[in-house]
Amino acid sequence: MPKNGHKSHTPSPGSKSGHRSHTPSPSSKSKHKSKKHKEKEKKGEKEKETQPGFWAGITTRFLHVKDKWHSSPLLDQFKSDNVVQLVNRVTKKALRVTDFGEIDCRGERSAEHDEQLHFIVTNHGSNIISMKSLTFPLSTDKYLRVKSDGKLYCNGNGKTDDCKFRLHETEDNWVTFESFQFMYHHIAAKEDGSLVAPKKVWDKTKACHFDVKMIGQHRKTPAGWKVIQMDG
């Protein structure tokens, strides 16, 4: 103890600089975490509301079985090696893969000789198909596919389930394409011709309805593989 009889008041490390320590209190940390947790829960609930429920899943699987055995002149156009053009109901434009690999529904339906609008069909039976783009440059890895991120691409090899689609014919004779690997994921378009990510199209709305026009058949000739037009 000092000689004057008073205690020594040694300043704390925080008081030396003249400022108090601003370490967050446990209560403020928990409040921040709680807010993040609530936001995460709210987002999860919102996503859950948009997804089909249990009974919707049962109904969809029943329709899959029904579609498996369905036959019609419309679906007969999806035989292996047939080349088709697909025109969207909303945009009234054709599905296409551009030379730059972009996919949209902005092709002119009257452009029957435009290979950007042509798809070669591989039929796996039971109304399950794969479709390969004939867009230049030709490649074996140009099958339409829905990847795990729920988006549509055109870089599939045609050998995996993500390249397969279920055919469904509507009552008013349009066809829809639902991913075989990812249930409820449909090929669809917006009014401006841009695509909607398949993962966002749970129902068979008009946005995923397509008219089908058979262009010809993909055949091997002495000059190589060619599309033999239907008109000769």
Side-chain angles (χ1 to χ4, degrees):
M1 182 177 290
K3 293 180 180 180
N4 57 10
H6 295 286
K7 291 181 180 180
S8 174
H9 296 284
T10 305
S12 64
S15 63
K16 283 182 181 180
S17 61
H19 296 285
R20 290 184 179 180
S21 175
H22 293 286
T23 305
S25 65
S27 61
S28 64
K29 284 184 179 180
S30 62
K31 284 179 182 178
H32 184 65
K33 287 182 179 179
S34 177
K35 187 177 179 182
K36 276 190 172 182
H37 183 68
K38 285 180 180 178
E39 287 176 355
K40 192 174 181 180
E41 279 188 342
K42 191 175 181 182
K43 186 179 179 182
E45 286 173 3
K46 189 175 180 182
E47 289 179 352
K48 192 175 180 181
E49 287 174 3
T50 61
Q51 297 179 9
F54 173 78
W55 291 111
I58 297 296
T59 302
T60 299
R61 285 179 173 83
F62 174 76
L63 288 175
H64 285 169
V65 174
K66 188 178 178 182
D67 289 338
K68 180 178 179 180
W69 303 106
H70 184 61
S71 178
S72 71
L74 177 64
L75 297 185
D76 284 346
Q77 295 182 81
F78 291 95
K79 292 179 180 177
S80 287
D81 295 325
N82 280 2
V83 177
V84 296
Q85 180 191 82
L86 307 172
V87 178
N88 185 262
R89 185 171 188 172
V90 171
T91 67
K92 296 179 175 55
K93 301 283 186 178
L95 182 69
R96 69 175 180 179
V97 178
T98 69
D99 294 338
F100 301 100
E102 298 172 350
I103 313 172
D104 60 34
C105 274
R106 293 173 177 148
E108 294 297 333
R109 63 187 305 167
S110 59
E112 296 180 5
H113 299 282
D114 187 352
E115 292 180 346
Q116 294 180 106
L117 320 182
H118 295 175
F119 297 90
I120 307 170
V121 177
T122 300
N123 195 307
H124 303 282
S126 302
N127 285 324
I128 296 170
I129 65 162
S130 296
M131 294 184 289
K132 178 184 174 183
S133 171
L134 272 175
T135 300
F136 180 84
L138 297 178
S139 168
T140 54
D141 296 334
K142 278 206 169 180
Y143 284 86
L144 294 179
R145 66 189 295 210
V146 176
K147 294 175 67 174
S148 57
D149 63 1
K151 298 178 181 179
L152 185 68
Y153 296 86
C154 188
N155 58 1
N157 59 19
K159 299 176 182 178
T160 54
D161 284 348
D162 61 359
C163 296
K164 297 177 182 178
F165 295 88
R166 298 180 187 273
L167 296 176
H168 169 79
E169 184 176 359
T170 67
E171 292 182 358
D172 48 354
N173 305 117
W174 297 84
V175 66
T176 67
F177 303 92
E178 180 184 359
S179 171
F180 177 76
Q181 183 165 351
F182 303 104
M183 193 165 68
Y184 306 121
H185 290 38
H186 298 83
I187 298 177
K190 301 176 185 177
E191 289 185 4
D192 65 358
S194 60
L195 290 187
V196 183
K199 66 179 179 180
K200 296 182 179 180
V201 189
W202 298 89
D203 298 316
K204 291 175 169 54
T205 62
K206 289 182 180 179
C208 60
H209 291 186
F210 287 87
D211 187 20
V212 185
K213 183 170 185 179
M214 185 170 167
I215 301 298
Q217 288 188 322
H218 196 236
R219 295 179 184 172
K220 192 172 185 179
T221 70
W225 286 91
K226 287 189 176 182
V227 176
I228 307 301
Q229 302 289 332
M230 293 303 295
D231 56 5

mmCIF file with all atom_site columns, all heavy atoms in Angstrom, residues 142-156:
data_model
loop_
_atom_site.group_PDB
_atom_site.id
_atom_site.type_symbol
_atom_site.label_atom_id
_atom_site.label_alt_id
_atom_site.label_comp_id
_atom_site.label_asym_id
_atom_site.label_entity_id
_atom_site.label_seq_id
_atom_site.pdbx_PDB_ins_code
_atom_site.Cartn_x
_atom_site.Cartn_y
_atom_site.Cartn_z
_atom_site.occupancy
_atom_site.B_iso_or_equiv
_atom_site.pdbx_formal_charge
_atom_site.auth_seq_id
_atom_site.auth_comp_id
_atom_site.auth_asym_id
_atom_site.auth_atom_id
_atom_site.pdbx_PDB_model_num
ATOM 1   N N   . LYS A 1 142 ? -24.573 -33.079 -77.094 1.00 0.00 ? 142 LYS A N   1
ATOM 2   C CA  . LYS A 1 142 ? -25.496 -31.966 -77.307 1.00 0.00 ? 142 LYS A CA  1
ATOM 3   C C   . LYS A 1 142 ? -26.932 -32.348 -76.970 1.00 0.00 ? 142 LYS A C   1
ATOM 4   O O   . LYS A 1 142 ? -27.881 -31.856 -77.577 1.00 0.00 ? 142 LYS A O   1
ATOM 5   C CB  . LYS A 1 142 ? -25.402 -31.451 -78.740 1.00 0.00 ? 142 LYS A CB  1
ATOM 6   C CG  . LYS A 1 142 ? -24.237 -30.489 -78.943 1.00 0.00 ? 142 LYS A CG  1
ATOM 7   C CD  . LYS A 1 142 ? -24.486 -29.535 -80.086 1.00 0.00 ? 142 LYS A CD  1
ATOM 8   C CE  . LYS A 1 142 ? -23.446 -28.430 -80.082 1.00 0.00 ? 142 LYS A CE  1
ATOM 9   N NZ  . LYS A 1 142 ? -23.654 -27.480 -81.179 1.00 0.00 ? 142 LYS A NZ  1
ATOM 10  N N   . TYR A 1 143 ? -27.084 -33.220 -75.989 1.00 0.00 ? 143 TYR A N   1
ATOM 11  C CA  . TYR A 1 143 ? -28.429 -33.619 -75.549 1.00 0.00 ? 143 TYR A CA  1
ATOM 12  C C   . TYR A 1 143 ? -28.942 -32.629 -74.505 1.00 0.00 ? 143 TYR A C   1
ATOM 13  O O   . TYR A 1 143 ? -28.182 -32.161 -73.652 1.00 0.00 ? 143 TYR A O   1
ATOM 14  C CB  . TYR A 1 143 ? -28.393 -35.018 -74.946 1.00 0.00 ? 143 TYR A CB  1
ATOM 15  C CG  . TYR A 1 143 ? -28.291 -36.134 -75.967 1.00 0.00 ? 143 TYR A CG  1
ATOM 16  C CD1 . TYR A 1 143 ? -27.046 -36.531 -76.449 1.00 0.00 ? 143 TYR A CD1 1
ATOM 17  C CD2 . TYR A 1 143 ? -29.434 -36.771 -76.440 1.00 0.00 ? 143 TYR A CD2 1
ATOM 18  C CE1 . TYR A 1 143 ? -26.949 -37.556 -77.401 1.00 0.00 ? 143 TYR A CE1 1
ATOM 19  C CE2 . TYR A 1 143 ? -29.340 -37.799 -77.382 1.00 0.00 ? 143 TYR A CE2 1
ATOM 20  C CZ  . TYR A 1 143 ? -28.091 -38.183 -77.854 1.00 0.00 ? 143 TYR A CZ  1
ATOM 21  O OH  . TYR A 1 143 ? -28.001 -39.188 -78.784 1.00 0.00 ? 143 TYR A OH  1
ATOM 22  N N   . LEU A 1 144 ? -30.234 -32.336 -74.594 1.00 0.00 ? 144 LEU A N   1
ATOM 23  C CA  . LEU A 1 144 ? -30.852 -31.521 -73.559 1.00 0.00 ? 144 LEU A CA  1
ATOM 24  C C   . LEU A 1 144 ? -30.806 -32.294 -72.251 1.00 0.00 ? 144 LEU A C   1
ATOM 25  O O   . LEU A 1 144 ? -31.012 -33.512 -72.233 1.00 0.00 ? 144 LEU A O   1
ATOM 26  C CB  . LEU A 1 144 ? -32.306 -31.196 -73.923 1.00 0.00 ? 144 LEU A CB  1
ATOM 27  C CG  . LEU A 1 144 ? -32.536 -30.306 -75.150 1.00 0.00 ? 144 LEU A CG  1
ATOM 28  C CD1 . LEU A 1 144 ? -34.033 -30.118 -75.381 1.00 0.00 ? 144 LEU A CD1 1
ATOM 29  C CD2 . LEU A 1 144 ? -31.856 -28.951 -74.977 1.00 0.00 ? 144 LEU A CD2 1
ATOM 30  N N   . ARG A 1 145 ? -30.575 -31.579 -71.159 1.00 0.00 ? 145 ARG A N   1
ATOM 31  C CA  . ARG A 1 145 ? -30.517 -32.247 -69.858 1.00 0.00 ? 145 ARG A CA  1
ATOM 32  C C   . ARG A 1 145 ? -30.907 -31.266 -68.759 1.00 0.00 ? 145 ARG A C   1
ATOM 33  O O   . ARG A 1 145 ? -30.698 -30.059 -68.879 1.00 0.00 ? 145 ARG A O   1
ATOM 34  C CB  . ARG A 1 145 ? -29.100 -32.787 -69.586 1.00 0.00 ? 145 ARG A CB  1
ATOM 35  C CG  . ARG A 1 145 ? -28.067 -31.687 -69.426 1.00 0.00 ? 145 ARG A CG  1
ATOM 36  C CD  . ARG A 1 145 ? -26.639 -32.209 -69.375 1.00 0.00 ? 145 ARG A CD  1
ATOM 37  N NE  . ARG A 1 145 ? -26.371 -33.020 -68.216 1.00 0.00 ? 145 ARG A NE  1
ATOM 38  C CZ  . ARG A 1 145 ? -25.169 -33.107 -67.640 1.00 0.00 ? 145 ARG A CZ  1
ATOM 39  N NH1 . ARG A 1 145 ? -24.133 -32.385 -68.097 1.00 0.00 ? 145 ARG A NH1 1
ATOM 40  N NH2 . ARG A 1 145 ? -24.970 -33.882 -66.603 1.00 0.00 ? 145 ARG A NH2 1
ATOM 41  N N   . VAL A 1 146 ? -31.481 -31.797 -67.687 1.00 0.00 ? 146 VAL A N   1
ATOM 42  C CA  . VAL A 1 146 ? -31.757 -31.005 -66.492 1.00 0.00 ? 146 VAL A CA  1
ATOM 43  C C   . VAL A 1 146 ? -30.776 -31.477 -65.419 1.00 0.00 ? 146 VAL A C   1
ATOM 44  O O   . VAL A 1 146 ? -30.807 -32.637 -65.007 1.00 0.00 ? 146 VAL A O   1
ATOM 45  C CB  . VAL A 1 146 ? -33.213 -31.192 -66.000 1.00 0.00 ? 146 VAL A CB  1
ATOM 46  C CG1 . VAL A 1 146 ? -33.433 -30.422 -64.700 1.00 0.00 ? 146 VAL A CG1 1
ATOM 47  C CG2 . VAL A 1 146 ? -34.201 -30.724 -67.059 1.00 0.00 ? 146 VAL A CG2 1
ATOM 48  N N   . LYS A 1 147 ? -29.909 -30.563 -65.002 1.00 0.00 ? 147 LYS A N   1
ATOM 49  C CA  . LYS A 1 147 ? -28.899 -30.923 -64.010 1.00 0.00 ? 147 LYS A CA  1
ATOM 50  C C   . LYS A 1 147 ? -29.453 -30.744 -62.598 1.00 0.00 ? 147 LYS A C   1
ATOM 51  O O   . LYS A 1 147 ? -30.567 -30.286 -62.396 1.00 0.00 ? 147 LYS A O   1
ATOM 52  C CB  . LYS A 1 147 ? -27.648 -30.079 -64.230 1.00 0.00 ? 147 LYS A CB  1
ATOM 53  C CG  . LYS A 1 147 ? -26.951 -30.370 -65.556 1.00 0.00 ? 147 LYS A CG  1
ATOM 54  C CD  . LYS A 1 147 ? -25.787 -29.438 -65.828 1.00 0.00 ? 147 LYS A CD  1
ATOM 55  C CE  . LYS A 1 147 ? -24.645 -29.636 -64.887 1.00 0.00 ? 147 LYS A CE  1
ATOM 56  N NZ  . LYS A 1 147 ? -23.458 -28.812 -65.256 1.00 0.00 ? 147 LYS A NZ  1
ATOM 57  N N   . SER A 1 148 ? -28.634 -31.084 -61.624 1.00 0.00 ? 148 SER A N   1
ATOM 58  C CA  . SER A 1 148 ? -29.074 -31.052 -60.221 1.00 0.00 ? 148 SER A CA  1
ATOM 59  C C   . SER A 1 148 ? -29.400 -29.649 -59.720 1.00 0.00 ? 148 SER A C   1
ATOM 60  O O   . SER A 1 148 ? -30.078 -29.491 -58.710 1.00 0.00 ? 148 SER A O   1
ATOM 61  C CB  . SER A 1 148 ? -27.993 -31.670 -59.323 1.00 0.00 ? 148 SER A CB  1
ATOM 62  O OG  . SER A 1 148 ? -26.758 -30.988 -59.490 1.00 0.00 ? 148 SER A OG  1
ATOM 63  N N   . ASP A 1 149 ? -28.936 -28.611 -60.442 1.00 0.00 ? 149 ASP A N   1
ATOM 64  C CA  . ASP A 1 149 ? -29.283 -27.241 -60.045 1.00 0.00 ? 149 ASP A CA  1
ATOM 65  C C   . ASP A 1 149 ? -30.660 -26.834 -60.556 1.00 0.00 ? 149 ASP A C   1
ATOM 66  O O   . ASP A 1 149 ? -31.111 -25.714 -60.331 1.00 0.00 ? 149 ASP A O   1
ATOM 67  C CB  . ASP A 1 149 ? -28.217 -26.250 -60.517 1.00 0.00 ? 149 ASP A CB  1
ATOM 68  C CG  . ASP A 1 149 ? -28.086 -26.192 -62.041 1.00 0.00 ? 149 ASP A CG  1
ATOM 69  O OD1 . ASP A 1 149 ? -28.829 -26.906 -62.736 1.00 0.00 ? 149 ASP A OD1 1
ATOM 70  O OD2 . ASP A 1 149 ? -27.223 -25.424 -62.530 1.00 0.00 ? 149 ASP A OD2 1
ATOM 71  N N   . GLY A 1 150 ? -31.342 -27.758 -61.276 1.00 0.00 ? 150 GLY A N   1
ATOM 72  C CA  . GLY A 1 150 ? -32.704 -27.503 -61.731 1.00 0.00 ? 150 GLY A CA  1
ATOM 73  C C   . GLY A 1 150 ? -32.809 -26.697 -63.008 1.00 0.00 ? 150 GLY A C   1
ATOM 74  O O   . GLY A 1 150 ? -33.907 -26.271 -63.386 1.00 0.00 ? 150 GLY A O   1
ATOM 75  N N   . LYS A 1 151 ? -31.696 -26.491 -63.711 1.00 0.00 ? 151 LYS A N   1
ATOM 76  C CA  . LYS A 1 151 ? -31.705 -25.706 -64.945 1.00 0.00 ? 151 LYS A CA  1
ATOM 77  C C   . LYS A 1 151 ? -31.517 -26.604 -66.164 1.00 0.00 ? 151 LYS A C   1
ATOM 78  O O   . LYS A 1 151 ? -31.044 -27.736 -66.055 1.00 0.00 ? 151 LYS A O   1
ATOM 79  C CB  . LYS A 1 151 ? -30.612 -24.631 -64.892 1.00 0.00 ? 151 LYS A CB  1
ATOM 80  C CG  . LYS A 1 151 ? -30.804 -23.617 -63.775 1.00 0.00 ? 151 LYS A CG  1
ATOM 81  C CD  . LYS A 1 151 ? -29.673 -22.604 -63.751 1.00 0.00 ? 151 LYS A CD  1
ATOM 82  C CE  . LYS A 1 151 ? -29.849 -21.606 -62.614 1.00 0.00 ? 151 LYS A CE  1
ATOM 83  N NZ  . LYS A 1 151 ? -28.735 -20.629 -62.560 1.00 0.00 ? 151 LYS A NZ  1
ATOM 84  N N   . LEU A 1 152 ? -31.896 -26.056 -67.332 1.00 0.00 ? 152 LEU A N   1
ATOM 85  C CA  . LEU A 1 152 ? -31.799 -26.804 -68.588 1.00 0.00 ? 152 LEU A CA  1
ATOM 86  C C   . LEU A 1 152 ? -30.485 -26.481 -69.292 1.00 0.00 ? 152 LEU A C   1
ATOM 87  O O   . LEU A 1 152 ? -30.118 -25.317 -69.433 1.00 0.00 ? 152 LEU A O   1
ATOM 88  C CB  . LEU A 1 152 ? -32.979 -26.469 -69.493 1.00 0.00 ? 152 LEU A CB  1
ATOM 89  C CG  . LEU A 1 152 ? -33.078 -27.262 -70.809 1.00 0.00 ? 152 LEU A CG  1
ATOM 90  C CD1 . LEU A 1 152 ? -33.394 -28.737 -70.532 1.00 0.00 ? 152 LEU A CD1 1
ATOM 91  C CD2 . LEU A 1 152 ? -34.142 -26.656 -71.725 1.00 0.00 ? 152 LEU A CD2 1
ATOM 92  N N   . TYR A 1 153 ? -29.802 -27.527 -69.752 1.00 0.00 ? 153 TYR A N   1
ATOM 93  C CA  . TYR A 1 153 ? -28.535 -27.369 -70.469 1.00 0.00 ? 153 TYR A CA  1
ATOM 94  C C   . TYR A 1 153 ? -28.587 -28.183 -71.764 1.00 0.00 ? 153 TYR A C   1
ATOM 95  O O   . TYR A 1 153 ? -29.488 -29.002 -71.969 1.00 0.00 ? 153 TYR A O   1
ATOM 96  C CB  . TYR A 1 153 ? -27.365 -27.855 -69.605 1.00 0.00 ? 153 TYR A CB  1
ATOM 97  C CG  . TYR A 1 153 ? -27.159 -27.049 -68.339 1.00 0.00 ? 153 TYR A CG  1
ATOM 98  C CD1 . TYR A 1 153 ? -27.863 -27.365 -67.174 1.00 0.00 ? 153 TYR A CD1 1
ATOM 99  C CD2 . TYR A 1 153 ? -26.271 -25.983 -68.305 1.00 0.00 ? 153 TYR A CD2 1
ATOM 100 C CE1 . TYR A 1 153 ? -27.685 -26.626 -66.013 1.00 0.00 ? 153 TYR A CE1 1
ATOM 101 C CE2 . TYR A 1 153 ? -26.078 -25.243 -67.143 1.00 0.00 ? 153 TYR A CE2 1
ATOM 102 C CZ  . TYR A 1 153 ? -26.784 -25.565 -66.005 1.00 0.00 ? 153 TYR A CZ  1
ATOM 103 O OH  . TYR A 1 153 ? -26.606 -24.838 -64.847 1.00 0.00 ? 153 TYR A OH  1
ATOM 104 N N   . CYS A 1 154 ? -27.588 -27.960 -72.606 1.00 0.00 ? 154 CYS A N   1
ATOM 105 C CA  . CYS A 1 154 ? -27.498 -28.742 -73.841 1.00 0.00 ? 154 CYS A CA  1
ATOM 106 C C   . CYS A 1 154 ? -26.084 -29.286 -73.984 1.00 0.00 ? 154 CYS A C   1
ATOM 107 O O   . CYS A 1 154 ? -25.388 -29.012 -74.962 1.00 0.00 ? 154 CYS A O   1
ATOM 108 C CB  . CYS A 1 154 ? -27.872 -27.868 -75.051 1.00 0.00 ? 154 CYS A CB  1
ATOM 109 S SG  . CYS A 1 154 ? -27.999 -28.826 -76.585 1.00 0.00 ? 154 CYS A SG  1
ATOM 110 N N   . ASN A 1 155 ? -25.654 -30.041 -72.990 1.00 0.00 ? 155 ASN A N   1
ATOM 111 C CA  . ASN A 1 155 ? -24.308 -30.624 -73.017 1.00 0.00 ? 155 ASN A CA  1
ATOM 112 C C   . ASN A 1 155 ? -24.308 -32.060 -72.502 1.00 0.00 ? 155 ASN A C   1
ATOM 113 O O   . ASN A 1 155 ? -23.279 -32.559 -72.043 1.00 0.00 ? 155 ASN A O   1
ATOM 114 C CB  . ASN A 1 155 ? -23.337 -29.763 -72.204 1.00 0.00 ? 155 ASN A CB  1
ATOM 115 C CG  . ASN A 1 155 ? -23.772 -29.604 -70.743 1.00 0.00 ? 155 ASN A CG  1
ATOM 116 O OD1 . ASN A 1 155 ? -24.800 -30.148 -70.331 1.00 0.00 ? 155 ASN A OD1 1
ATOM 117 N ND2 . ASN A 1 155 ? -22.997 -28.867 -69.963 1.00 0.00 ? 155 ASN A ND2 1
ATOM 118 N N   . GLY A 1 156 ? -25.456 -32.716 -72.590 1.00 0.00 ? 156 GLY A N   1
ATOM 119 C CA  . GLY A 1 156 ? -25.550 -34.099 -72.125 1.00 0.00 ? 156 GLY A CA  1
ATOM 120 C C   . GLY A 1 156 ? -25.030 -35.082 -73.150 1.00 0.00 ? 156 GLY A C   1
ATOM 121 O O   . GLY A 1 156 ? -24.987 -34.789 -74.350 1.00 0.00 ? 156 GLY A O   1
#
